[in-house]
Amino acid sequence: MPRLDVRLATDEDSADIFHWRNDVLTRRMSHTTDAIKWEAHRAWLRSVLLDDRCCMVLCSTNNPAQKTAVIRFDMQEQSTLVSINLNPEMRGHGLAKACLRQSLDLFTQRHPEILLIQAEIKVCNVASRRVFESVGFELLSSLGDSFLFTWRVHN
């Protein structure tokens, strides 16, 4: 398995994140299934990157160098909501678990005050459920067409 690097996402990642977000399977597994227009995406990403309650992490392989996934942490009052979007070209390579694990490590180092992280995953998204469970997320409840998973930070 190639070595993975994680870093904070930047504006230079905008085109990749845009294309991954508008992928047909990604949209089907997202809570917002409509295609996103470039201008709306650019405005959204700029606001996310400037928001101190949001942390967006980019995961890449280094041999060969390829952007692999984007992981977003939205900090709320009582918990943080995490989501992952894999580069469609990287699906099936077994990298999502390592990307999520390393992103969690980076996020919790930067935000030691966060004790609870949750993920809302569509019931039909079996692959994502398996990835989150494999790093220790536990099913908390059902939310209609989604499951709510939770992970307690161990300091």
Side-chain angles (χ1 to χ4, degrees), residues 33-142:
T33 58
D34 296 336
I36 305 296
K37 297 212 180 290
W38 175 247
E39 298 78 22
H41 166 75
R42 293 286 294 147
W44 169 81
L45 183 61
R46 283 186 189 118
S47 70
V48 166
L49 294 176
L50 292 172
D51 186 348
D52 63 353
R53 300 298 300 160
C54 189
C55 178
M56 189 171 279
V57 177
L58 195 95
C59 180
S60 300
T61 61
N62 65 358
N63 190 16
Q66 185 165 8
K67 293 178 183 178
T68 306
V70 63
I71 299 89
R72 190 175 87 218
F73 296 89
D74 291 306
M75 293 173 270
Q76 302 165 345
E77 291 290 324
Q78 301 296 319
S79 67
T80 294
L81 193 61
V82 63
S83 61
I84 185 170
N85 187 4
L86 206 63
N87 174 348
E89 295 177 12
M90 302 303 284
R91 290 182 186 135
H93 294 254
L95 299 171
K97 177 182 176 180
C99 284
L100 180 59
R101 163 59 42 216
Q102 287 182 233
S103 296
L104 286 163
D105 290 346
L106 176 68
F107 176 76
T108 57
Q109 287 171 9
R110 292 180 62 85
H111 296 280
E113 74 279 9
I114 301 297
L115 301 176
L116 181 68
I117 299 177
Q118 296 182 315
E120 189 177 325
I121 303 168
K122 279 190 166 181
V123 171
C124 64
N125 194 345
V126 175
S128 191
R129 289 184 0 227
R130 286 184 181 145
V131 167
F132 278 85
E133 289 174 333
S134 73
V135 300
F137 278 75
E138 296 177 354
L139 179 62
L140 182 64
S141 63
S142 178

